[in-house]
Amino acid sequence: MASVKDRNASAWLLPPVPGTNHAMRANMAQFRDEDEVDVVIVGCGAGGSTLLQRLARAGWKAVALDAGPFWDPERDWVSDEAGSHHLYWTEPRIISGDDPVPLGSNNSGRGVGGSMVHYAGYTPRFHPSDFHTYSADGVGADWPLEYGELKAYYEDIEGELPVAGEHWPWGDPHSYPHSPHPVSGNGELFLRGALASGITAKVGPVAISNGRFGNRPHCIYRGFCLQGCKVNAKASPLVTHIPDALHHGAEVRADSMVTRIEIDDRTGKATGVHYVRHGRARFQRARIVAVAGYSIETPRLLLNSACKRFPAGLCNDFDQVGRYLMVQGAPQTAGRFESEVRMWKAPPPEVSSEDFYETDPSKPYKRGFSIQTVSPLPITWAEHVAAQGHWGGKLREYMSDYVHWACLGALCEFLPQPDNRVTLSSEKDRNSMPVAHFHYSQCDNDRQLMEAAQGAMEKILYGAGAEEVITIKRFAHLVGGARMAADEQRGVVDADCRSFAVPNLYITDGSVLPTQGSANPALTIMAVTARAANRLIAGGAGKATKTTQPARPATA
C-alpha cells in the first residue's frame, strides 16, 4: 500500500508554520473557459475536493468551481462565534413541512473546503448494516454497493486526514492511524457516566492530528473547531486535499456560482457549466461534469438545468431529483455539575458511543442513534438556555454558571421519505436563479429515536453526577436528494456516482447517500468519492491528454 505522502502530499505542501502556501495558489493552473477541460467540478467541499485531488494526480485537466471564497485561515478566520457566520451558506432558501429544518450554520458550508471548514472534526465510519437497512430492518433503502467495497477507501481517507481515536469496537471493528487525544472535563464526565450506566464509550474518532503530521501542527485545544481551525490541525479539504490537487496541475476557481449545466440536444451529453463570477456570466467547457454542491444546491442545480431533453429537470425522468433528502435528529442534553467542567477546553467531539446504533428488536423503533460529547460555546449555550424559556435574569444566571455544565449530543438516523424533498420556488436569487424550497416532515420512527436518545443522554449525565439536565432539540447533516440506486427508477446515480440519464455527468457529494446511519457523513462522502474517482480513472472516460501544467513547487 502506498504511503499517505505518496498518494496525497497535502500536509507536506503546507508551510512549516500555521498559514497558507500563497505561492502555490498564485502559481496554480489557469484554464480558459473555452478550454475543454477533462472535468469541471461544481463545489469544493468533501466530495468535490477529493475528486479534484484524485483526478489531478492522475493527470487530468481538472478545474473546481466554488461559489464561495478561497479561504486563508490566518486572515479570514477568528476565534469568535459571532465573527464566523461568513463560513456558512446564508443565501435565501425556503423551508416548509410539519418539521421545517433551519438551514445554515450546522448543515451548510460556503467556500473552498465546504462545511468541513466548520464541522467539529468527528469522522466515524458507517456500519456494514447501513448498506442494507431495507433488507435487514424493513426501513430505509439498500445501497447498490456494500460496506466491503468502501473499506479500503475508508482506510485511505482516515490516513490522509488523519483520524485519531481508540480502537473502534462497533460496526466493522478497526483501529485509527493516530492514537486518541487526551480528554477534557466534558469527556471525562461522559466516560464516568457511561461506565456507571453500563454503556461502552471510546475516545475519538476525530480528524485532528495528534502530533505533527507533515507540516501540520498538533491540536492546541482552543475549542473553536466550529469556527475554522486557524492552526491547520483539524482536517478539512482546504488543507487535506486542495494543496496536492494544485501541486498536480488542478485549478480552484473560487467565487464562481454555477447556475446551469449545459446538455447537447444531439448527443445527450453534458458539455460544461454556466456560472457567474464577479457579476459576469461565463461558460466552462468540459468533457465530464461532476456536481458536488451538497444536498440542497445539487438538486437545485439539476432542476434548474431543465432543457428540451429533460423538461422536468436534469436526470429527472422518474421524478427522483430532490427526493429522499434527510437530516439527522441531533438533540443536545446538558448537565450541571458542582465542580467546574470547562467543556470548551478541547475539540467538541472527544468521546462517543455507538452502543445504540443498530436496530434493537426490543424497541418499538427501527435503527438507532449515536452519542458524542459536544461543547457549545457561549452564544450557542445561550440558545440552549433560552430554548428552555429562560430569559432576563434567569438567562444571565445560567450564563454565569456556564463553566459548570457538560453537554452531550446525539445523532439519530432519520429515515428517507420521498416527500422530504427540494423543489424550485418562484422566488429568484441575485443571479436570477430560482431559490431552493426544502420541505421536511418527520415520521413516528424519527420522533421515537429523538426521545430515546434524550433518555440515554440523561442517564449518562445523571450517572456522572449531574444535578440538573436540559435538552434542546435540533437537527444536523443533510444527505440525500440525488441518491444512488440500482436503477434509474429508484435513484439518480449508480454505485459509481454516474448519472443514469447523462453518461458524462457524475454526482460526488452527500446527496447520493441512500441512508445516513447515525454517523457524521463527511468520511463516507470522501470514501464514496475516492471510490468513484478510482473507477473513473481506471476507465479513462473523458481524459484527453495528460495535463501540460507542471507540478508546482512546494514553496510557501
Side-chain angles (χ1 to χ4, degrees):
M1 179 185 292
S3 69
V4 172
K5 187 176 181 180
D6 287 339
R7 67 174 182 270
N8 181 356
S10 288
W12 290 264
L13 294 168
L14 296 172
V17 295
T20 299
N21 190 330
H22 293 288
M24 177 178 289
R25 293 189 184 184
N27 295 327
M28 72 176 168
Q30 299 286 329
F31 298 107
R32 299 176 302 171
D33 286 340
E34 55 269 28
D35 293 336
E36 187 177 57
V37 296
D38 291 324
V39 61
V40 59
I41 301 169
V42 182
C44 221
S49 297
T50 302
L51 184 65
L52 182 73
Q53 184 264 335
R54 292 311 204 250
L55 296 183
R57 189 169 262 269
W60 289 47
K61 293 189 292 184
V63 56
L65 308 183
D66 197 280
F70 204 155
W71 297 116
D72 181 343
E74 190 65 25
R75 179 196 66 207
D76 298 327
W77 299 348
V78 293
S79 298
D80 176 71
E81 284 182 276
S84 300
H85 291 285
H86 60 294
L87 300 180
Y88 313 142
W89 187 285
T90 55
E91 295 290 319
R93 288 164 169 171
I94 295 173
I95 58 175
S96 66
D98 295 339
D99 305 281
V101 176
L103 298 175
S105 60
N106 72 330
N107 52 27
S108 295
R110 173 179 174 267
V112 178
S115 57
M116 285 184 73
V117 161
H118 63 81
Y119 79 142
Y122 190 53
T123 46
R125 298 182 188 181
F126 280 16
H127 287 200
S129 67
D130 286 316
F131 295 79
H132 47 81
T133 64
Y134 185 76
S135 296
D137 298 316
V139 295
D142 291 346
W143 293 45
L145 55 83
E146 291 291 335
Y147 170 87
E149 297 176 70
L150 280 187
K151 182 173 181 176
Y153 299 100
Y154 273 135
E155 293 170 348
D156 282 353
I157 298 296
E158 286 166 349
E160 293 167 38
L161 293 179
V163 179
E166 289 189 274
H167 179 80
W168 212 242
W170 298 284
D172 173 29
H174 58 279
S175 297
Y176 290 104
H178 277 211
S179 59
H181 287 267
V183 298
S184 71
N186 202 16
E188 289 178 1
L189 289 170
F190 188 168
L191 292 170
R192 182 197 305 173
L195 181 64
S197 305
I199 295 169
T200 301
K202 295 291 181 180
V203 182
V206 291
I208 301 172
S209 52
N210 187 0
R212 195 166 187 85
F213 179 70
N215 287 335
R216 284 171 53 197
H218 190 290
C219 178
I220 60 173
Y221 307 114
R222 55 193 275 275
F224 283 92
C225 301
L226 301 180
Q227 288 69 42
C229 180
K230 287 181 73 70
V231 299
N232 291 335
K234 187 193 79 173
S236 81
L238 189 67
V239 297
T240 63
H241 287 78
I242 292 300
D244 192 74
L246 299 187
H247 184 69
H248 286 88
E251 179 189 359
V252 171
R253 200 175 299 165
D255 303 305
S256 300
M257 177 65 187
V258 176
T259 58
R260 190 163 58 89
I261 300 166
E262 185 70 22
I263 299 294
D264 186 304
D265 288 336
R266 182 180 60 83
T267 65
K269 291 185 176 181
T271 59
V273 298
H274 296 269
Y275 68 104
V276 177
R277 192 179 199 211
H278 306 314
R280 178 185 162 207
R282 298 169 60 170
F283 178 75
Q284 176 63 61
R285 298 177 65 228
R287 294 177 180 271
I288 286 179
V289 173
V291 183
Y294 208 24
S295 289
I296 300 290
E297 293 304 309
T298 288
R300 180 190 181 204
L301 177 60
L302 294 176
L303 293 172
N304 196 56
S305 298
C307 59
K308 183 178 180 181
R309 165 64 183 86
F310 298 100
L314 198 57
C315 306
N316 203 28
D317 288 339
F318 295 93
D319 194 23
Q320 292 294 301
V321 172
R323 290 193 182 273
Y324 299 103
L325 205 150
M326 294 164 276
V327 299
Q328 286 172 323
Q332 293 186 357
T333 299
R336 190 200 184 277
F337 294 83
E338 179 153 354
S339 299
E340 291 190 1
V341 179
R342 300 176 184 248
M343 60 179 167
W344 69 89
K345 299 281 289 180
E350 298 181 273
V351 177
S352 55
S353 175
E354 292 182 351
D355 269 8
F356 307 96
Y357 195 107
E358 307 285 352
T359 294
D360 182 345
S362 70
K363 303 298 183 184
Y365 51 80
K366 301 292 187 180
R367 303 304 293 160
F369 55 90
S370 61
I371 300 174
Q372 59 192 254
T373 53
V374 293
S375 301
L377 293 173
I379 293 177
T380 307
W381 175 243
E383 295 171 353
H384 282 56
V385 176
Q388 314 304 311
H390 300 307
W391 227 193
K394 196 66 176 177
L395 174 60
R396 289 195 296 272
E397 182 182 328
Y398 270 90
M399 292 305 298
S400 65
D401 209 29
Y402 173 59
V403 296
H404 288 273
W405 288 81
C407 195
L408 305 180
L411 290 179
C412 305
E413 182 179 349
F414 282 7
L415 299 177
Q417 301 179 73
D419 291 334
N420 289 339
R421 67 183 305 187
V422 169
T423 56
L424 298 181
S425 75
S426 58
E427 182 180 334
K428 301 290 183 68
D429 67 8
R430 56 184 169 175
N431 296 310
S432 298
M433 186 177 177
V435 169
H437 179 179
F438 177 28
H439 177 95
Y440 191 84
S441 300
Q442 295 175 28
C443 65
D444 288 341
N445 199 83
D446 299 340
R447 296 186 182 93
Q448 291 180 62
L449 281 175
M450 289 278 275
E451 293 300 319
Q454 179 178 336
M457 291 188 289
E458 289 177 350
K459 181 178 181 180
I460 292 169
L461 289 167
Y462 280 131
E467 305 166 335
E468 174 189 357
V469 298
I470 61 175
T471 295
I472 183 171
K473 293 187 176 180
R474 55 190 292 282
F475 311 97
H477 306 131
L478 300 167
V479 299
R483 68 175 179 174
M484 63 168 65
D487 59 69
E488 62 184 347
Q489 296 187 36
R490 290 179 288 180
V492 179
V493 300
D494 64 16
D496 295 340
C497 297
R498 180 177 179 173
S499 74
F500 291 111
V502 180
N504 65 334
L505 175 66
Y506 288 75
I507 302 175
T508 57
D509 59 28
S511 68
V512 305
L513 305 188
T515 57
Q516 61 177 336
S518 301
N520 308 55
L523 183 72
T524 297
I525 292 169
M526 299 179 89
V528 166
T529 300
R531 178 183 179 275
N534 192 51
R535 296 172 74 82
L536 191 54
I537 292 165
K543 181 175 177 293
T545 57
K546 186 173 180 64
T547 178
T548 57
Q549 295 289 338
R552 301 300 177 186
T555 57

